[in-house]
Structure formats: C-alpha cells, structure tokens
C-alpha cells in the first residue's frame, strides 16, 4: 500500500545534485538523478523535489506519479539528453504530458513540430478565405414590406398578399426586448452574434447567415468573390436560409436573384442585383414553425411538419398557404414539388403551373402514390431521366418509410394517367429511413440507427433504370457526427451531412465529428471512402458547411468546379476545392476515420448518457434537417472487407470487447470509472502558451 509522505510547504529539498531519485509512474519504476529532473526551472519536478507540492510514496519509498508510464519514458529521455525521441508515442499525447509537467523547452519543440504540418494558408485544397463582414446597423422597422436596403437601389414592384397578411401583434414589445440583448441560444447561453450559422450556394452565388443578419457574395471572373449584399440587422435569429441565383421572369427580369431567411413562422425575402445591392420584397407568415425553406424555380417554398405549405410566386407576387397531411419529407425535380407525408402518401405540386390553375386560393395538390403498407414516407428523392419521348420524362422516385423500408417507383411517360408503378423494395433497415438519394449510378439510404448508410449500384438501359441485372448491394458504413446534449451555439440545419453533389456525378458526405471540431472529413456517399479532410486555417471551430457546384468561366478549357464552403465560429468563410480532391481520389485512406483519428476527435468532448430509453426512436424529419442520431466510422464495402469477422475479432467479442462502437456504448452505459486525481502540477509559466484543448462539451449517448 502506498503511504502519503507530505513535505512541509516552502521547505526546499537539500539533496545533492547527484542524488538518485526513484519514481513510480503509473506502476512502472524509473530511476534518475535530481539534476536531470530539475534543470528546467518552474517545472513539475522542481516543484515536487523542492517541497512546494506534496509527494506520495509507495511501499519502497519511490515517489508515486499517477501518469502514463509509456509517455513518460520519452519525456525522461529528453530530460537526460535534451534530444526528442518519441518512440512511437502520438505527438498530441506527448505534448499534453509535457504541458502537465511544465517542461517549456519540450512544449515549444513539440508545438513547432505540429506547426510544420499546418499552415495558415491551408493545404493544396484551400481555395479562398473571406473575412468576417462588418456588423450592420440596427434595422429600425421590423415589418417594413418594401424599400431599398442599400444605397443606389430601386425598390422592386411588390403587391402585398391578401391571403396571408403579416401578423403585427406584440411586435413592439418583442422588438424592445430583443433590442436590449442578443437572442439566446437553444442552451440558454449567450450566442456569438458573429458566428456563421448557415451557408448555402447556388451557381456562382453564396449566402451566409449570422445570428441577426446575412450577406451574399458573387463570383466575378476576374476579381473573385465579392460582397454584393448585406442585410440590415434583424430582430430575430436566423434559423433557415434559401438562395436562388437563376430566376426567369422575376421581379427584376431575367437577371433576378433572391435570398430568403426564416425564423419561427416568419419569412423575410429580398431581391438581389448582380451589380450589387438589393431590396426587401416582403415579410410572410406560415403560421407554424418553418422547418424547410427552399426555392423551386422562381417560387419560394416553406413547409412545416404540421402539414402546412406556403408558396410565394415571383410572377404574381402572391403568397399562398395550404394545409395538407403532416409532412415528413420533401424533394423537388424540375418544376415538381413532392411531399412525403406520415399517412404513407406522396403528394405533388406543379409549382410552374399552379398560378394559372389556382381556384379559390387553393394550391393544386394531388396524390401521386400511396405506400402499400401505408407507412409514413420519411425520406424522398426524385430523379428525372433524360427526355425519352415527346410526352415527357421517365420519372423515378425513391423513398424511405418509418418502418425502415426503401422503395423505388417509376412513372412511364405513356402511362401518366395510371400513376407510378412499384419497381423495387428493400428491407435492410430496421429503423426509420432519414435520408435517401437516387442518382444516375447509385441508390443511397440512411436510417436512424446510428446513421447507418446502405448503398446500391443502379443499372440503366438508355438512361432508364433496368431490372437486368437490377440494383445490386454496394456498401454499408456509418458516419460519426455528434451533437451537443445541451444545445450547440450553431444551427443544426447548417450541419447537414448530405449527400451533396449533382445526381449525374459522384456525391459526397461531409462529416464533422464533434460540435466544436475544426476538421471535416469528406467521404464518397456510394462507398464511404475518404476523399479528403480539411482543417480550418485559423483554428476556429467549423459551425456550418455546404457544397457548391460552381459554374465554369467563359475561358477556354474551363470546367465547373465543386467547392466545400465552411463557416467558422469567428465569422469567416473558407472555400476548399473538392474537384481537385476528387481528381486525386485514391490517395486518401480507403475507409473513414481510423480509431486513432476518432479518439483524437472525441477528446474534445464528454459523453453524457441520455435520460430517455435507448429504444425510443426520433420522429421523422424533413430531408434538409439534421438528425440527432449520427453514428460511428465503421465501413464495410462489398468491394473491400466483408463476410464474417475474423477469428481475432470473434474472440474479442466473446471476451466482451466487441467493435469499437460497442465498446464506446458499453463505456457510456457503465459510466466513468473512478479515477484517482493526478498529482497537481504548479501553475504553468507564461511561456507555456494556451491550454491544449478547449472546454469539453457534453454529447448525447444516442449519438453513437
């Protein structure tokens, strides 16, 4: 048994420099001289041996230090030789221990080694950096429906809606309350007003939403990205953002562009000008919380899970609201808007024709298909094949259900009157399907069971899906993207994992492991293979991200480019060239995160068990919202490892080890083991720099 042998505080040790000191570090014995341990002033060891902090000795009289002996060995070797030999120890672990022991020369050397691999200019994929914009002045009239927002702009002609007039009740009181303080975050803590909450892009335009204002950038061929619009400061935090950069027949003619922001049930819409500036079109109300906001052509669409849909048409300047069944998913293709509902039905609206066919202020909403089992349609994806006849397209629809089913239905151009026909059914999920994507080459589904992804390869004949040989299983993998248990300062809608990309090209998932992470992993949506990883150039956490398909320039040989846009906690925006990353596919590691990378990410947070039962499942959400059930980074592909586990893996499971995810789940359920507090270290000197890691955030157990 170890016995405590406190030394009187402030009494210096009187041993000679050559005195042998015996240490017991985590159960392993080390012997060295007093001079070796104390040649660095103001370190842990000089304080320990001078009596400024108490010591704990084992039964042999050796000083006990409750730290990792594996990491201590290269540290002791550095104290002996002043040379660094990591001996296979991870650099971050070595730096952490060096900071604990207060070894300033070693800390500086390790930090310099890390700086060699990182640069404030980013890596080869780093394409651009937009600094935080200037915070706008206060918006004085919260409910003004029309008027130029920047000097030099003329107001667009606007007709106020007679269907859904703005609700002005209690606006004055709410405005005064919000004037005095910034809106709180979901956790109740003050929110950073300069943090990027949402980012979206369309063609060569980008819209970035902060807590109480938004800005728009346009790509100029010669001068690059330029700020062309900045909204006034709003009285409410922005929760949804939508942008359209190619509108025909809008308020300003064929060059019209629009941006919309929403919070609660309110929607604010602006018209933008390519040369700069913009004007406010109006404030519209859905009457219920807006959960999805997007454009279909020149129509602004807002939906809510309650079953209410709102449409604003740029030609008629008319805002129309209608009730349908509770909406659990949606998708758009061409001029068609499809709604998946909890009664198992798929409804469609032709938003291009409805202004001419509208009767009695009702949208022309038609039932397209009903699920055979009448399960709720929780995910929806529409694919329009190239035109095959004069009568129209061959329409293909993939949808997921609340019971975990994945179905594919097709609509023949010659049989429009008979409705879509069931083509394929997959029952590989046991939890509700939260995302689905049907593209030219792949069918991808994601379920609520730890964000499990299943993919199939799609066979086509003359552009149409074929049964010979049909869809074949391709891969099964998981994505880790944890959410904060007490609410994160960002907006979850800005952290959607995807998949992103055009449907006739390879699509990707974007993986952010923990809420405060500054590193993102880009993975193929078809196989889970890692394309690349990017890290913020300024070290600030990434709070929002999206993928932008940017048009090519008019220069000879130019081609469209794909960019990853990352919004940071400090308000900046970074751009990464995914086209270059896709061209170099195969150079990155074959799978997702390794266990070492995963543990490095998880060190930034704490896992908190969830109070509710693990058997409960989340309610289905629209396709654009981010599910709170994300999963781990295992990757099983039919082209790679498959079949039963190897004998060592099976033996580990019989011993209770299991997979990495299972071990994490068991660790969370059993709770943290009681640990002896480490031997206290003296307060580090100014030269030691900032702490190694920011404060950890608590995460839901169900995130695994």
């Amino acid at each position: 048994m170890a016995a405590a042998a406190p030394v009187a505080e402030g009494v210096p040790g009187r041993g000679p420099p050559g005195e042998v000191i015996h240490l017991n570090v985590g159960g392993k014995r080390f012997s060295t001289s007093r001079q070796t341990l104390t040649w660095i002033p103001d370190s842990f060891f000089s304080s320990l041996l001078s009596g400024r902090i108490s010591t704990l000795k084992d039964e042999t009289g050796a000083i006990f230090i409750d730290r990792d002996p594996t990491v201590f060995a290269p540290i002791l070797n550095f104290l002996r030789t002043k040379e660094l030999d990591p001996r296979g120890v991870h650099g971050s672990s070595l730096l952490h221990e060096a900071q604990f022991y207060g070894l300033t020369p070693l800390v500086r050397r390790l930090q310099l080694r890390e700086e060699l691999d990182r640069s404030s200019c980013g890596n080869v994929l780093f394409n651009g950096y937009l600094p935080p914009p200037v915070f706008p002045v206060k918006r004085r009239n919260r409910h003004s429906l029309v008027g130029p927002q920047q000097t030099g702009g003329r107001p667009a002609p606007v007709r106020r809606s007679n269907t859904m007039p703005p609700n002005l009740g209690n606006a004055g009181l709410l405005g005064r309350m919000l004037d005095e303080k910034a809106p709180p975050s979901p956790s109740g803590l003050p929110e950073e007003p300069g943090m990027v909450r949402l980012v979206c892009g369309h063609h060569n335009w980008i819209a970035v939403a902060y807590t109480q204002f938004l800005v728009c950038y346009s790509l100029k061929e010669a001068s690059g990205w330029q700020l062309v619009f900045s909204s006034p400061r709003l009285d409410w935090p922005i929760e949804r953002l939508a942008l359209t950069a190619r509108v025909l027949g809008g308020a300003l003619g064929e060059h019209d562009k629009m941006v919309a922001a929403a919070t609660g049930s309110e929607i604010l819409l602006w018209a933008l000008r390519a040369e700069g500036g913009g004007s406010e079109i109006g404030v519209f109300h859905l009457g219920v919380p807006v959960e999805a906001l997007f454009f279909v052509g020149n129509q602004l669409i807002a939906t809510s899970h309650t079953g209410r849909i709102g449409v604003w048409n740029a030609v008629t300047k008319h805002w129309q609201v209608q009730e349908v069944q509770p909406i659990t998913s949606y998708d758009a293709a061409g001029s068609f808007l499809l709604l998946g509902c909890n009664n198992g039905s798929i409804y469609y609206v032709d938003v291009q024709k409805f202004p001419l066919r509208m009767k009695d202020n009702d949208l022309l909403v038609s039932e397209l298909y009903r699920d055979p089992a009448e399960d709720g349609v929780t995910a929806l994806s529409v694919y329009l094949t190239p035109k095959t006849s004069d009568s129209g397209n061959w329409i293909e629809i993939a949808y997921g259900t609340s019971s975990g089913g994945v179905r594919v239905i097709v609509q023949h151009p010659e049989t429009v009157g008979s409705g879509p026909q069931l083509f394929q059914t997959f029952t590989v999920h046991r939890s509700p399907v939260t995302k689905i994507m049907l593209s030219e080459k792949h069918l991808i589904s994601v379920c609520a069971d730890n964000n499990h992804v299943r993919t199939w390869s799609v066979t086509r004949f003359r552009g149409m899906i074929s049964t010979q040989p049909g869809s074949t299983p391709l891969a099964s993998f998981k994505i880790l993207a944890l959410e904060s248990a007490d609410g994160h300062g960002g907006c979850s809608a800005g952290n959607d994992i995807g998949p992103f990309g055009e449907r006739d090209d390879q699509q990707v998932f974007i993986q952010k492991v923990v809420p405060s992470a500054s590193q993102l992993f880009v993975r193929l949506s078809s196989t889970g293979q890692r394309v690349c990883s990017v890290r913020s150039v300024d070290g600030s956490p990434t709070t929002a991200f999206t993928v932008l398909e940017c048009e090519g320039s008019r220069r000879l040989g130019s081609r469209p480019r794909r960019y990853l846009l990352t919004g940071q906690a400090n308000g900046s925006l970074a751009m990464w060239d995914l086209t270059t990353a896709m061209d170099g596919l195969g150079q990155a590691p074959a799978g997702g995160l390794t266990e070492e990378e995963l543990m490095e990410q998880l060190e930034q947070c704490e896992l908190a068990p969830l109070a509710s039962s693990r058997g409960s499942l989340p309610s289905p959400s629209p396709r654009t919202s981010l599910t709170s059930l994300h999963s781990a980074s295992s990757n099983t592909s039919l082209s790679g490892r498959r079949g039963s586990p190897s004998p060592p893996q099976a033996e580990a499971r019989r011993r209770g080890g299991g997979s990495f995810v299972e071990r994490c789940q068991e660790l969370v359920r059993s709770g943290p083991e009681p640990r002896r507090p480490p031997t206290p270290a003296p307060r580090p000197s100014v030269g030691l720099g900032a702490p190694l890691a920011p404060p950890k955030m608590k995460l839901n157990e169900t995130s695994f």
Side-chain angles (χ1 to χ4, degrees), residues 249-271:
L252 297 178
E254 62 179 3
H255 300 294
D256 192 16
K257 293 129 177 58
M258 292 183 289
V259 63
T263 185
S265 62
E266 282 191 351
I267 304 165
L268 186 57
L269 181 63
W270 287 275

Side-chain angles (χ1 to χ4, degrees), residues 159-364:
R159 188 185 78 186
R160 290 184 58 171
S161 170
N162 296 322
T163 308
M164 200 69 180
N167 179 12
L168 304 180
N170 295 331
L173 176 60
L174 179 61
R176 288 194 299 271
M177 292 173 61
L178 294 176
D179 284 344
E180 298 172 0
K181 61 179 181 179
S185 65
S187 61
L189 300 176
E191 195 169 73
E192 289 292 338
M195 179 188 70
V196 175
R197 291 176 57 88
L198 298 164
V199 57
C200 65
H202 191 216
H203 295 292
N204 292 351
W205 283 66
I206 297 174
V208 184
Y210 297 87
T211 302
Q212 292 181 276
F213 73 103
L214 63 89
V215 295
C216 293
Y217 298 91
S218 177
L219 179 61
K220 310 295 182 181
E221 188 168 333
S223 56
W225 292 100
Q226 300 294 320
L227 179 67
V228 294
F229 174 75
S230 177
S231 76
R233 182 181 174 187
L234 307 179
D235 291 330
W236 33 262
I238 298 176
E239 297 175 353
R240 296 291 183 267
L241 183 67
L243 171 71
T244 180
R246 178 178 289 175
V247 177
L248 301 179
L252 297 178
E254 62 179 3
H255 300 294
D256 192 16
K257 293 129 177 58
M258 292 183 289
V259 63
T263 185
S265 62
E266 282 191 351
I267 304 165
L268 186 57
L269 181 63
W270 287 275
L272 307 175
R273 296 182 179 85
E275 64 275 10
S279 57
E280 184 179 314
I281 293 177
V283 177
F284 310 103
H285 286 254
L286 188 62
V288 291
V290 177
E291 296 182 356
L293 187 68
F294 54 96
F295 284 94
V296 177
N298 55 359
Q299 277 80 18
L300 174 65
I301 312 294
T303 66
S304 174
H305 76 280
T306 61
R308 185 171 296 180
I309 174 176
V311 179
W312 183 84
N313 183 265
V315 177
T316 64
K317 310 298 185 298
H318 190 81
W319 171 253
Q320 180 65 41
V321 175
Q322 182 167 328
E323 298 284 349
V324 293
Q325 292 291 329
I327 300 171
T328 51
S329 59
Y330 75 91
D331 196 19
S335 62
F336 288 95
L337 170 64
L338 278 79
L339 304 173
C341 299
N342 67 351
N343 63 348
S345 294
I346 299 176
Y347 297 91
Y348 77 95
V349 182
D350 190 341
V351 296
Q352 186 175 9
K353 296 179 180 179
F354 91 84
L356 303 179
R357 300 167 60 181
M358 188 167 51
K359 299 177 182 179
D360 301 326
N361 286 330
D362 284 335
L363 300 178
L364 192 59

Side-chain angles (χ1 to χ4, degrees), residues 4 29 50 64 66 86 111 139 211 262 270 312 352 374 405 423 520 548 578 592 604 616 619 656 659 668 670 694:
R29 296 289 296 272
S50 66
F64 179 75
D66 191 11
Q111 289 176 340
R139 181 184 182 210
T211 302
W270 287 275
W312 183 84
Q352 186 175 9
E374 297 188 354
F423 183 77
L520 299 180
L548 171 65
L578 289 188
Q604 306 175 45
S616 61
S619 58
S659 67
V668 173
S670 60

Side-chain angles (χ1 to χ4, degrees), residues 371 373-378 400-407 427-433:
D371 182 71
E374 297 188 354
D375 291 332
V377 180
T378 56
T401 67
S402 57
S403 63
V406 176
R407 302 185 193 274
T427 56
V428 296
H429 295 294
R430 299 181 60 190
S431 300
V433 177

